[in-house]
Amino acid sequence: MAVLGAGGGTSSYEEIENTDVILLWGSNARNAHPIFFHHLLKGVHNGARLYAVDPRRSESAQWADVWLGIDVGSDIALANAMAKVIIERGLANTEFVERATTGFEAYARKVAEYDLARATEITGIPSNVIEEMAVAYATADRAQICWTLGITEHHNATDNVLALISLALLTGHVGRYGSGLVPVRGQNNVQGGGDMGALPNKLPGFQDIENDEQRGKFEALYGRPLPAKRGWHLTQMFEAMQAGKLRGLYVIGENPAQSEADSGHTRQALEGLDFLVVQDIFLTRTAEMADVVLPAAADWCEAEGTVTSSERRVQRVRKALEPPGEAKPDTEIISLLAGALGRGWGNPSAEEIWDELRSLSPPHQGMSYQRLEDLGGLQWPCPDDSHPGSQFLHARLWDEVVIDPAPFMPVDWAAPVDRLSDDYPLRMTTGRHLDGYNTGVQSGGFDSPIRIGCTIDVSPEDGERLGLEPDEVVRIGSRRGEIEAPVRIDPGLRPGLTFMALHYPDDVDINELTIEAWDPQSGTAEFKATAIRIDKIAVGVQR
Amino acid sequence: MSETVSIVIDGVSMAVPAGSTILEACRSTDNDQPTLCYLETLTPVNVCRVCVVEVEGSRTLVPSCSRVAEDGMIVHTDSERVRHSRKVVFEFLASSVDMSLTDDATKGWMDRYGCDPTRFGPQAGPVADRDHRHAGHHHAPTGDTAETVSQPVKVDNELYVRDYSRCVLCYRCVEACGIDAQNTFAIAVAGRGFDARISTEFDTGLTDSACVFCGNCVGVCPTGALMFRSEYELRNAGMWDSDRQSVTRTVCSYCGVGCNLELHTQDNRIVKVTSPADHSVTSGHLCIKGRFGYSYVQELGDLAVTPIDEVLARARR
Amino acid sequence: MDLRFIGAEVSEGEREAIHAAVPAAEVVEVDGRVVRTDRTSLRHHLLPALDAVQSAIGYVSEGAVDEIAHRLHVPPAEVYSVATFYALIQTEPRPPVVAHVCDDVACRSAADLVGELGDRDDVVASPCLGQCDRRPAVFFQRAGSPDLVAAPATASEVSSVLDGAESITLEPTVDAGPLLRRVGRVDPGSLDAFRSTGGYVALARAIEMGPEAVIAELETSGLKGRGGAAFPAGVKWESVRKQPTGPKYVVCNADESEPGTFKDRVVLEGDPFAVIEALTIAGFSTGATKGFIYIRGEYPLATERLRTAVAAARNAGLLGDDVAGAGFAFDIEVRRGQGAYICGEETALFNSIEGFRGEPRQKPPFPVFEGLFGRPTVINNVETLINVNRVLTEGGETYAASGTPDSTGTRLFCLSGDVARPGVYEVEFGMTLGDLIERAGGAAGDLGFVMLGGAAGSLVDASALDLRLTFEDARAAGVSLGSGVVMVFNTEVDMVDIVRRIARFFRDESCGQCVPCRVGTARVEEAVSRANGSVEASLIEDMDRAMKDASICGLGHTAASVVRSAIALGILGEPQ
């Protein structure tokens, strides 16, 4: 979303209830974001037409008017072919394109390379369906594109997102009520983390660390210089660890030993560190490897603070429970650490820290705790105390004169890195179960009557071809490792496609299989496209 | 745009926005009315009939929850006709359903109308066949007792119980499971007449049904017929103590949608999770993780096992 | 939608029945790459799907529910919810032939067939089957064969049908006026015979006049609805005609289930084209292009004749895209009820057609604004509709000259119980109750009481024999003509038992949606079931007032009427 100026979903949930066409692209929100899906279904019940683009006919896709079962990692070819259709049929919003965007000619030249025949070959989707979706999207009064990790967990994640943004620019489906681009966030504060500057190149409020003026504000308040160069993102850090250039690591609330792709490599890298500190509420697999473990309170119920949702809504979290034992809120641990390092700043309250942040981050300026309390949260940007918060972003693109037009960013399709071959003929993709969450350290804690555990899901056709029975434990191999898991037959999968959920690394570590190939811009690994093989272990072995 | 209509309620003239219901008009002036099946976040089904009012010119009483105010309407909410119908309807309910866990406001209305649910005779005891009765067929009564919906509690999973002896058939759970929120449609009303009941297909247990355990049905139940297992076990153990509970509003720790939670805590333990109905993100509805996925913060291994932990553990297999 | 299925296997027979009856929501294209789903418009096929399985297999299994759910995208819990609403749909295995033996008010005093047949799993007691003129009656559901009726029936005949034999029914007794002139005289299966006896003259006249003039003629005629509410038919049609364009519907309510009522069945069996013609005129006049006839499931012969007639009319170009070459489109679908009295309530009937439980809707909105599928809808019962043919054939003024000024035309009365010649009597409004009973040969035995208007009507005694049978006289007397029921009980009849049966009927037939009716009908039955027929009148009065005032629909409003009249007549007394 950076091309549009700020990293956040452009629309509010309420708007999807009042839109006309929804492209749900690479998202099983029904399972992964159930309450967002409530809003989406209100839209569907209000008459919105829903297209679901997903290799799997997931629970979400089953709600669609039309499901498009594309090949994993072919999204750009589909988006570019749609753009070509839209341009050729004269359905582009030329008035908007001329006034509010730049770079259209180069974009048009690029997408011209994606005729329907080529797109069909790459995606597997017949041309008439691509045309239908393109026309429906372009001719809708209001339209939204919603996506999640099916778009971003690829080696070319940023290009995938750019391809979708370009569709919105081409049709003017952004910056207006009911039209927008909606990346739904996977974790309760991944939006807030980015907003607060937990990115290699950003300071809070999307201010650039390499911009002297913006960095200068922070230096002035802190009374000391800050590094003027962007840092490493996660994948670069692991590369640096492997290269011996990164020797010490302070991990707060992450479990990379299990969550990173190609976990064998990851653990090797962590083991090679001189010094590892883990601050967490659990003794995770990563924490087990640490030199020092700092027990943290669960911020959402044992501490005060704020988190930011996928609709840019900043909301308060509050302390309901005393943390157990010596666990402390993250802010307090960091403050104590600063003191121990001889640079103490006392032990400020969450509100005091927030007020400092507000003084530095323009989009958060108007969000006092009192207002957050009174208004049930506020959506950024909220620049002053009288501002109601922003329901949607980029309304400026509809100004008579657009000061800072949005650039088209033409992108090319590139196949997933992990190629299919005779040895690894099946595509494995990953995702969430309704009752699971990430590596399962939280969601594993309650008794879910619907938990099915880790399975390798295969299509009925592949199940039959390979002679697999439900619950039969099989060996699953990729170019990086091998694991075992029981079989589940899923009619929502097409032949050649398999699926595993990622919540059960203690039972089955699927990241033994996944590939470390990562997106150079975002650092996201390609969890969604692994080439695997499935072998029977022995007749009659059942779990 | 903001057109208004003028109506008179209990002699008080008022202008309300066009499209307002009579109930909304009443509540805008603190003239509260009893409701059971009505909930702001759900489509009115107007089945409980405790909110009926008298509209001049109308042959029968009308449900205030769904009847839209019309210009010139003259409404009486406390006429003898209204009081009589509400009284009898409450008596019908209380004579056939265990309403002991229904909210205090409802009990207040029943007192006000002088309800005597015993006047239909002594209540009949529990029966086991309510899920298998056929439409159009029932055993003729003797008239010695008043039939009830009393029946065994359904405890078939770790997260919530269904005690349909308390069910007033308000349809709220069906709506929350259905098109008004969750869209899972695991439950519906089966059977007919007095034998109508909330049911999964073929009365299958929840774990074999389409249920996804979001708990949104529990969240909207007005009578305690649907109850979280934690509350059920604590009540059974005599340890549920709302006076010692506090409610803290926070945000769910799972995905990035930003659902607001109300953590009901007692003795430094979460005993129930709800969501505020007036919050724009959730409208009071949650998913299984937000509703039930909290136990990781209070399963503390050797750190502490208190009496409340022992009771909460009974819900686990 | 992301349905979760029971996971039960569907049998080949079930699958065939379902697939033949209803379309599929999902269309899978290109090797399973693309799936298109019709998310909204198939729900209304639910009852036909259930009927198809019930008729073919004899009950609806878990596998069949799964298949229906998948085919129509209706969740299994909702399929079950709808299935269990209807008495004729079974969700548990059952013998292939089942006898529904009427033990309702007319039949129970003729014979105790249920008792004679004993306790067997292929015999169930039934509410009124609409065959009171030839009591006692039995309706058979037969898996794989057409359902049928035996009336009058004996225990041995019931046993032989349960063993596979066919059955016999008597021809009805008809005392015909203008409305019934073809019944029993003209072949109901022949369109030619219908046309050669004045059929389709009214439609031709309507087309010639145009919609506005048709409705003006109806208003001139003073025709009032015969379904119970006596609402002017012309006003109803005009309300729908005036609605802006867009889908509109006309519906014929043939769900005749009021105990003691059988006149619509006689019309449908004896003159089905007349109903089709009238409904076509309704479509033409209101701008509706689709009509439904919703006929009760216990009328297999009428259903078959109606379906045959619809097909014949369509073949002859009298239904379809260009009706009678007059340039308007209209077609009719016949829908079968499945055993639910409440579906005779107009909004419950809409819900039933739409594939939901037959639960009435709160009014307003009224059907002329938001009816079937939420669209403007005319709904008339069979008797009202066929009067339209007469109005257009004779002219409104001529029609208005018959009957009384406020009750124009003729009325079909269902004479049953202890009368010499039970049957349908078409008489001009204004005849007294006593004269009508005399016309049917008089009471058999000494007249004790008469049930007037139906189970939702009231009991009267001999003091009411001078009552003139008009809407206005009935209203003045505090009674209702209802569906034209005149059921006579002689002094031998155990009237307490009759009142209890009626209370039981409403307890069984309440949809259960609203509290006053759901619990009230149970409490009323309990109250009249106490020993010695003693009853606390004040308790009944309290309940009746609340049920009348606070129930959603007419069922609750009238469920205690007969009981209250029984108290007034001293049939039920205060406890000693």
Side-chain angles (χ1 to χ4, degrees), chain A residues 13 30 35 38-39 45 185-188 282 300 309-310 315 317-318 321-322 434 437 442 445-447 449, chain B residues 159 181-183 249-258 260 268 279-281 285-286 289 295-296 299 316:
Chain A
Y13 305 149
R30 179 62 152 163
I35 303 303
H38 285 189
H39 294 272
H45 295 318
R185 304 299 188 163
Q187 290 148 45
N188 84 330
F282 298 106
W300 67 282
S309 77
S310 301
Q315 306 186 100
V317 295
R318 294 180 184 83
L321 300 174
E322 286 302 327
L434 176 61
Y437 182 73
Q442 289 157 269
F446 75 106
D447 293 303
Chain B
L159 301 183
Q182 179 56 30
N183 286 276
R249 185 153 161 177
T250 188
V251 178
C252 177
S253 70
Y254 287 96
C255 81
V257 173
N260 281 27
N268 204 39
H279 193 246
S280 68
V281 176
H285 308 300
L286 296 170
K289 293 191 290 281
S295 45
Y296 70 91
E299 271 161 26
R316 313 197 61 165

Side-chain angles (χ1 to χ4, degrees), chain B residues 3 12 20 25 30 32 39 41 62 89 96 112 127 134 168 177 187 196 200 202 215 239 258 262 265 270 277:
Chain B
E3 286 176 31
V12 179
S20 304
D30 291 334
D32 201 15
L39 193 65
T41 52
V62 306
V89 167
S96 56
R112 173 169 163 180
V127 293
H134 291 240
V168 292
C177 188
I187 46 172
T200 57
F202 294 93
M239 289 172 65
E262 291 163 333
T265 54
I270 298 168

Side-chain angles (χ1 to χ4, degrees), chain A residues 44-227:
Chain A
V44 166
H45 295 318
N46 285 340
R49 197 164 167 80
L50 176 64
Y51 290 85
V53 180
D54 194 317
R56 294 191 298 147
R57 188 157 183 251
S58 66
E59 291 82 354
S60 308
Q62 290 174 43
W63 280 95
D65 293 88
V66 185
W67 164 66
L68 291 78
I70 63 166
D71 276 345
V72 174
S74 65
D75 308 84
I76 291 173
L78 179 60
N80 282 357
M82 284 174 65
K84 183 169 190 286
V85 169
I86 290 167
I87 293 168
E88 284 179 356
R89 295 207 178 185
L91 300 175
N93 189 335
T94 46
E95 191 274 328
F96 178 82
V97 168
E98 281 168 20
R99 191 173 37 79
T101 71
T102 59
F104 173 72
E105 283 73 23
Y107 175 68
R109 276 196 303 278
K110 176 50 68 186
V111 300
E113 296 167 22
Y114 292 83
D115 58 48
L116 286 168
R118 183 175 175 216
T120 297
E121 192 187 320
I122 296 171
T123 63
I125 303 301
S127 55
N128 65 312
V129 179
I130 299 175
E131 280 182 296
E132 178 195 320
M133 182 162 80
V135 171
Y137 179 70
T139 56
D141 282 346
R142 297 169 175 175
Q144 300 217 338
I145 306 179
C146 311
W147 68 88
T148 54
L149 301 183
I151 281 296
T152 51
E153 285 187 349
H154 287 285
H155 74 278
N156 51 351
T158 305
D159 287 355
N160 280 343
V161 174
L162 291 173
L164 300 183
I165 292 173
S166 292
L167 284 176
L169 294 179
L170 183 62
T171 52
H173 282 317
V174 66
R176 289 187 291 129
Y177 181 88
S179 275
L181 293 156
V182 183
V184 194
R185 304 299 188 163
Q187 290 148 45
N188 84 330
N189 200 28
V190 70
Q191 179 71 48
D195 299 350
M196 295 303 109
L199 294 169
N201 59 336
K202 292 289 181 193
L203 291 159
F206 311 102
Q207 302 177 87
D208 198 330
I209 197 151
E210 295 177 354
N211 177 313
D212 293 341
E213 190 192 328
Q214 294 180 341
R215 190 183 65 253
K217 286 197 299 183
F218 291 80
E219 292 174 330
L221 184 75
Y222 297 162
R224 64 197 66 249
L226 299 174

Side-chain angles (χ1 to χ4, degrees), chain A residues 301-377:
Chain A
C301 63
E302 293 170 348
E304 302 290 326
T306 62
V307 293
T308 308
S309 77
S310 301
E311 58 172 357
R312 299 166 278 103
R313 185 182 298 277
V314 177
Q315 306 186 100
R316 288 274 283 108
V317 295
R318 294 180 184 83
K319 179 174 174 173
L321 300 174
E322 286 302 327
E326 295 179 52
K328 291 182 170 36
D330 290 315
T331 50
E332 189 178 339
I333 296 174
I334 292 167
S335 297
L336 287 170
L337 196 57
L341 291 169
R343 295 286 187 183
W345 53 62
N347 186 15
S349 70
E351 184 170 7
E352 287 164 344
I353 296 169
W354 179 249
D355 285 339
E356 178 190 292
L357 175 278
R358 292 202 294 133
S359 75
L360 290 165
S361 171
H364 296 99
Q365 206 98 51
M367 298 182 174
S368 65
Y369 265 30
Q370 190 59 50
R371 291 194 79 207
L372 292 177
E373 175 93 35
D374 293 345
L375 301 172

Side-chain angles (χ1 to χ4, degrees), chain B residues 285-307:
Chain B
H285 308 300
L286 296 170
C287 77
I288 183 172
K289 293 191 290 281
R291 183 84 69 178
F292 299 107
Y294 58 81
S295 45
Y296 70 91
V297 296
Q298 55 195 38
E299 271 161 26
L300 302 171
D302 302 334
L303 266 181
V305 175
T306 62

